[in-house]
Amino acid sequence: MRRPRPRTLGIICVCLVLLAAGAVTGVRWVQDRGSVTLLANWSREEEKQFKKVIKRFKKRYGIHVDYQGSSALSQVLAAGIASGSPPDVAVVPGPGELMTYADKGQLRPLDGLFEAGRYDEFWAPEINGKYWLPVKASLKSMVWYSEMKPEQVAKSAKNPGSWCLAMESGATSGWPGTDWVEDILLQQTDAKTYGDWANGTLEWTDGKVRTAWSTWGELAGVSDRKRIEQALKAPFDKACTQRLEHQGSFRADHWSEKPGGDYVHSAAVIPESAPGKRWEVSGDLAVMLNETEEAKQLIRYLADPGTELPAYTVNADVPVPGDSRTTRREIASTLRGLNGTLCWDASDAMPRVVRDAFHQAVLRYLISPETLDAELAALERLRVANQGTTQLRVCG
């Protein structure tokens, strides 16, 4: 048999390379079906969990997700919208600033991208259309404790040294303190008063609001300057060594590892709490800013009951966890409105400029509690200047 000439071998090799390149290109053409930009403020373990969700989306649909994480999400989103180059999809913690964007026509409606009946009107309200999809919910109004019986919690709460107090959270430092003030007002008054305040129709200088601030000051021990100095520097998710912490459901794993770790409703420790069970909640809300097919597909995917999302979901087509972890089941049931009245985290429901000023006011109050009236007066001026045109259903 004749051996191929060197020139013939070269031609054959070139052809094989071209065929292989064509095959690879063909596979890439089949798999690559566009891309979508996604802006969110996930961090640490939560970010790892959501990146797995994104990875499964890309594998299923061949759509690349350009994930942009930022602790200054609100500022990045506002800058993107102002410059005309917003992300295709953003996941925002709370409806306040979204109401502003919806009023200005800067959000694309999600009608037809998910079954509205899967979500209670509280979580996905109708505002001339559906504008956001809740992809993750968190329960607040919780006081975590360890190494004591539930009936001992209220007594321990009177000692400021029992509380894990930490305010540092980067661009959003101070929010653990706003959670306290909001929750105290919610428990000491009622859902209507709280909703009026969150919607900007109750003055910051109202006596009920001021009482909520001063009550928190007493619980936090603002007179202990060394303690307050430590609290201002401590990260909100630090390993807590104290016996009590006013924090949300995301801290369940931390406290379940402690001896006898569990939670009580915050009304058990807040002085002068009114009858009834009212819970603060928050949620990560997905919105679409560019109406592309890839963005629509991502929204459909996040709304699909078969998509495994990090806890907790309020999609009614996803069963409440039935495992033996009672705390997990209780939290999931409460987020579905089965154990009391749900109210949006008030600062998350406020316009962005008011919410950010609230965060800063909390920090200044801890540093100089004698300036409380001046802080409330400044917040009141912002309220008047930034009242929205659409009222949110704050409590469900």
Side-chain angles (χ1 to χ4, degrees):
M1 185 177 71
R2 291 181 61 187
R3 294 178 180 274
R5 295 178 181 177
R7 183 170 179 272
T8 306
L9 282 172
I11 292 171
I12 292 172
C13 290
V14 169
C15 291
L16 289 173
V17 170
L18 290 173
L19 285 170
V24 171
T25 302
V27 170
R28 189 174 295 153
W29 180 82
V30 171
Q31 290 182 345
D32 187 0
R33 298 177 183 173
S35 64
V36 56
T37 53
L38 171 65
L39 174 66
N41 183 21
W42 299 314
S43 61
R44 298 180 175 85
E45 184 59 33
E46 186 180 47
E47 183 176 20
K48 293 179 183 177
Q49 292 173 346
F50 270 105
K51 281 188 173 180
K52 290 179 181 178
V53 175
I54 293 169
K55 186 177 180 179
R56 291 192 291 267
F57 170 75
K58 181 179 180 180
K59 183 177 181 180
R60 180 183 300 182
Y61 298 104
I63 298 173
H64 173 72
V65 178
D66 179 11
Y67 171 67
Q68 304 166 5
S70 175
S71 60
L73 181 145
S74 293
Q75 292 84 346
V76 172
L77 180 58
I81 291 175
S83 66
S85 57
D88 299 323
V89 175
V91 179
V92 179
E97 61 191 286
L98 298 182
M99 295 286 289
T100 303
Y101 294 139
D103 279 345
K104 294 179 179 179
Q106 293 167 322
L107 302 181
R108 308 279 75 84
L110 306 183
D111 302 84
L113 299 182
F114 65 91
E115 293 182 26
R118 289 177 180 163
Y119 301 92
D120 186 89
E121 179 74 12
F122 169 79
W123 288 103
E126 183 76 25
I127 310 170
N128 298 320
K130 298 287 185 183
Y131 282 100
W132 60 72
L133 170 76
V135 296
K136 183 176 181 289
S138 297
L139 184 64
K140 299 191 175 185
S141 300
M142 310 173 80
V143 171
W144 297 95
Y145 68 89
S146 65
E147 300 177 343
M148 69 180 88
K149 295 179 180 179
E151 55 270 22
Q152 297 174 315
V153 173
K155 182 178 179 180
S156 181
K158 295 178 182 179
N159 174 16
S162 297
W163 289 102
C164 184
L165 194 65
M167 296 291 118
E168 202 282 318
S169 182
T172 57
S173 292
W175 71 259
T178 66
D179 272 12
W180 257 119
V181 174
E182 297 159 4
D183 198 17
I184 292 172
L185 180 66
L186 178 60
Q187 306 310 330
Q188 289 184 335
T189 59
D190 52 51
K192 183 182 183 307
T193 301
Y194 177 88
D196 289 345
W197 175 60
N199 263 323
T201 58
L202 177 69
E203 296 85 352
W204 283 85
T205 51
D206 185 275
K208 299 183 184 70
V209 179
R210 193 186 191 286
T211 297
W213 281 78
S214 58
T215 299
W216 178 54
E218 293 171 6
L219 287 169
V222 291
S223 60
D224 186 340
R225 305 319 303 161
K226 182 178 179 180
R227 170 176 162 73
I228 294 303
E229 183 178 342
Q230 292 172 342
L232 292 169
K233 297 177 181 178
F236 74 93
D237 57 352
K238 72 171 186 175
C240 186
T241 58
Q242 285 78 11
R243 303 176 74 192
L244 297 175
E245 184 178 27
H246 179 268
Q247 198 51 276
S249 52
F250 79 96
R251 293 289 274 170
D253 289 343
H254 170 75
W255 284 90
S256 64
E257 296 174 356
K258 290 175 171 282
D262 206 343
Y263 74 93
V264 296
H265 186 261
S266 59
V269 306
I270 293 174
E272 308 299 325
S273 288
K277 189 161 282 190
R278 297 169 294 281
W279 301 87
E280 265 199 301
V281 298
S282 64
D284 285 355
L285 309 176
V287 295
M288 184 168 61
L289 296 112
N290 292 316
E291 196 171 357
T292 68
E293 290 305 315
E294 294 84 0
K296 290 179 181 179
Q297 189 59 64
L298 180 57
I299 295 295
R300 292 190 192 99
Y301 173 73
L302 293 173
D304 186 338
T307 298
E308 186 177 349
L309 295 169
Y312 295 87
T313 178
V314 288
N315 187 326
D317 286 355
V318 179
V320 172
D323 55 34
S324 59
R325 289 176 292 177
T326 305
T327 299
R328 180 181 172 89
R329 184 171 178 81
E330 284 180 356
I331 292 171
S333 298
T334 302
L335 287 167
R336 303 287 179 95
L338 302 180
N339 299 319
T341 300
L342 304 183
C343 295
W344 280 106
D345 176 300
S347 58
D348 286 350
M350 295 173 183
R352 181 171 65 91
V353 63
V354 179
R355 179 201 64 200
D356 293 350
F358 189 9
H359 291 169
Q360 293 300 309
V362 157
L363 300 177
R364 288 193 294 268
Y365 170 63
L366 288 176
I367 296 170
S368 303
E370 68 277 5
T371 65
L372 176 57
D373 289 326
E375 297 294 344
L376 295 177
L379 289 167
E380 174 59 15
R381 289 191 292 272
L382 274 179
R383 178 194 72 85
V384 173
N386 292 274
Q387 286 184 304
T389 58
T390 304
Q391 295 289 294
L392 176 73
R393 180 186 173 192
V394 175
C395 295

